Amino acid sequence: METENQVILVKRTNPRADPERSEYLFEELRELTRTAGYVPVGELTQTKFPDSKYQLGRGKIEELAELVRTTRAEKVIFYNKLSTIQLFNISEICGCQVIDKFQLILEIFAKRATTRRSKLQVELARLRYEIPRARAIVSILKKEEKAGFMGLGDYEDAYEQGLKKRITRIESELESAEKDDESLRTFRHRKGFSLVCLAGYTNAGKSTLFNSIVDESVEAQNMLFTTLVPTTRALELGGRKALLTDTVGFIEELPHWLVDAFKSTLDEIFLSDLILLVVDVSEKPEIILQKLSTAHDTLWDRIQGVPMITVLNKTDLLEASELEAVMEEIGYMAPNPVFVSAKEKAGMQELKAEIIKHLPAWSFYSFSLPNSEKGMSMLSWLYDEGIVHSVEYGERISVDYEARTEVINRIQSLEQNLDE
Amino acid sequence: MWDIIAVDISGRHRIKGGYYMVCAAAALTVSADHIEKVKQVKILPFWLKKAPGLLDVVQLIEDTANQLSFEGTIVAEKGDMYNQPRWVPESMFSGAFKYQESLAERRAIELAHHISLSARNLLIKELDIEA
């Protein structure tokens, strides 16, 4: 019998927790498990307050061990966060590898990471996760130690020190990559591009929407965390140039250190001019609200003043009356809502119009340039930086122009130099 | 647009002789992502010898919100309610109650927090409470 990748899923729920919500969170764990390439062969849940030794009750853990034996599963995946002691105790009893949801997410990220940078980010997240465990593992191993011999010796310190050194090295490498990103963003801004970003819960359909808007074929799957590396493409919106970036999706209870390790991908969202928050509207309203709440929670403190459009995706799965009912319930969490179906490419025009409405304001300016070589070269620069509405060539070149305020200011100061 | 009352309590830690807390309640009109209008703000200081329980906190918030001439759903941070599930404090309030969710509600709580914290700092300084 094939036992590879067979896993058992376990979740402990606090007493008095909402059963429907617990089931939804468990479904999310199933989804993550499938995304990681595992085959769930058994499930176990228990309602009780956490046990410090085993997370579940001792009896339930023995039941789990029995289930592992009968199903011949090679791994046990816990929804709840496990301490090192719990990991150690449970794996001792079950006789197989035990991981929790956070390690599972890391595994998915590690499988998906393709660029050197995302590989470094995954490794950083893994090392940060391991650091507090390093000490605990050493202390567990020390229990076996006898005075004077069979000790860990230098390894005791070297293990933790090694981790810390590696973390510092990765951090400095990522920092320099971050600076490159920053200068790239400034350069794009200076070139007159507005930065638009797709954000949202994982599997909301961000990549499908991205493909529909820019007519591209970025990998889009009905799976969690398909996108790990932000992809950026140019977009023309009513004569204005914008750059649309597809980003990594959010997930509930994503641990802080993990978000921090993926800071550079989230920075794309935080530093954009406009955020398109994508939501799967075909789900139940309470689940949509929960997902919106997770997204708002991740974003709210960092997006000072950046406008947000809520893109309600997958409308093809609902009737118009159902959409209305959903909107009534989620309206207070959905700023500037637009209905689209990325798969059917419906609602794209409305979405583009809404994006144009919320892009940073550009101003109009009418002026004239000398009809000389200098004037012509400036005109070609103007075409790069903004929208030239009309040009009339005469003794002088009259231009009606629209661009960002900084560009207009620059023109005003250059105008004087050209005339001199 | 929705009418809410954003509340926040500062000073739920022991200082000399007890707990000196200040509750701020701000009556606001919010959209999904912005505070559209700040209608009224009230603060209420409160002195307690023992550590405040959930009922004390609910009472303090109700008393502060009652001073406002506007009505709305009371919005608070989960931590202020000792991280209890929503239905626990909800059943103790006389009006509508919820935890912060949208961008605007989070911003509103931030506003109430700054008000209660600076009001408490000012009162402690002026009344020489800790000395």
Side-chain angles (χ1 to χ4, degrees), chain A residues 16 289 293-294 296-297 299-301 303-305 307-308 331-336, chain B residues 2 31-34 84-88 98 100-107 110:
Chain A
R16 292 201 302 270
L289 280 175
S293 184
T294 306
H296 284 201
D297 192 35
L299 294 175
W300 86 276
D301 208 19
I303 56 157
Q304 308 287 352
M308 184 189 279
Y332 73 99
M333 290 282 282
N336 311 310
Chain B
W2 297 269
S31 58
D33 55 349
H34 284 96
Q84 291 291 334
R86 178 173 161 176
W87 64 268
V88 178
K98 70 186 290 259
Q100 53 175 4
E101 286 177 286
S102 67
L103 292 170
E105 285 165 2
R106 287 169 203 273
R107 193 73 69 216
E110 191 179 43

Side-chain angles (χ1 to χ4, degrees), chain A residues 117-131:
Chain A
R117 193 162 161 201
S118 55
K119 279 182 186 158
L120 281 178
Q121 286 172 340
V122 171
E123 195 181 347
L124 181 62
R126 193 182 56 75
L127 291 172
R128 284 192 180 155
Y129 182 75
E130 215 173 297
I131 266 271

Side-chain angles (χ1 to χ4, degrees), chain A residues 163-186:
Chain A
L163 290 180
K164 280 185 178 162
K165 271 187 198 155
R166 182 90 189 115
I167 286 180
T168 322
R169 272 211 352 244
I170 295 176
E171 272 175 347
S172 66
E173 199 165 324
L174 283 175
E175 207 175 297
S176 65
E178 229 168 77
K179 275 184 197 143
D180 290 349
D181 263 9
E182 247 176 67
S183 51
L184 187 62
R185 262 192 295 266
T186 324

Side-chain angles (χ1 to χ4, degrees), chain A residues 111-233:
Chain A
K111 272 187 189 165
R112 295 284 167 78
T114 45
T115 60
R116 164 147 180 82
R117 193 162 161 201
S118 55
K119 279 182 186 158
L120 281 178
Q121 286 172 340
V122 171
E123 195 181 347
L124 181 62
R126 193 182 56 75
L127 291 172
R128 284 192 180 155
Y129 182 75
E130 215 173 297
I131 266 271
R133 276 145 213 273
R135 264 170 248 142
I137 289 168
V138 167
S139 80
I140 289 172
L141 290 175
K142 270 181 93 150
K143 278 186 187 166
E144 308 287 318
E145 200 175 303
K146 293 192 177 65
F149 69 105
M150 283 181 78
L152 288 166
D154 265 354
Y155 183 68
E156 201 175 301
D157 294 325
Y159 184 28
E160 200 182 327
Q161 289 303 325
L163 290 180
K164 280 185 178 162
K165 271 187 198 155
R166 182 90 189 115
I167 286 180
T168 322
R169 272 211 352 244
I170 295 176
E171 272 175 347
S172 66
E173 199 165 324
L174 283 175
E175 207 175 297
S176 65
E178 229 168 77
K179 275 184 197 143
D180 290 349
D181 263 9
E182 247 176 67
S183 51
L184 187 62
R185 262 192 295 266
T186 324
F187 174 73
R188 284 166 171 175
H189 251 141
R190 220 177 34 230
K191 280 309 239 176
F193 284 107
S194 299
L195 308 179
V196 183
C197 211
L198 282 168
Y201 208 79
T202 179
N203 205 24
K206 295 181 290 301
S207 298
T208 315
L209 181 66
F210 182 82
N211 289 341
S212 299
I213 302 180
V214 298
D215 260 336
E216 272 253 5
S217 51
V218 165
E219 186 191 2
Q221 290 182 27
N222 184 18
M223 236 187 209
L224 309 183
F225 297 117
T226 310
T227 309
L228 276 187
V229 186
T231 319
T232 303
R233 292 287 178 274

Side-chain angles (χ1 to χ4, degrees), chain A residues 196-202 204-206 209 247-250 269 274-280 288-289 291-299 303 307-313 333-338 340 351, chain B residues 33 103:
Chain A
V196 183
C197 211
L198 282 168
Y201 208 79
T202 179
K206 295 181 290 301
L209 181 66
T247 63
V248 52
F250 306 135
I269 303 174
L274 175 65
I275 295 168
L276 306 183
L277 185 63
V278 187
V279 181
D280 177 357
I288 302 175
L289 280 175
K291 289 186 172 178
L292 274 171
S293 184
T294 306
H296 284 201
D297 192 35
T298 316
L299 294 175
I303 56 157
M308 184 189 279
I309 295 173
T310 312
V311 185
L312 301 152
N313 191 18
M333 290 282 282
N336 311 310
V338 181
V340 303
L351 177 60
Chain B
D33 55 349
L103 292 170

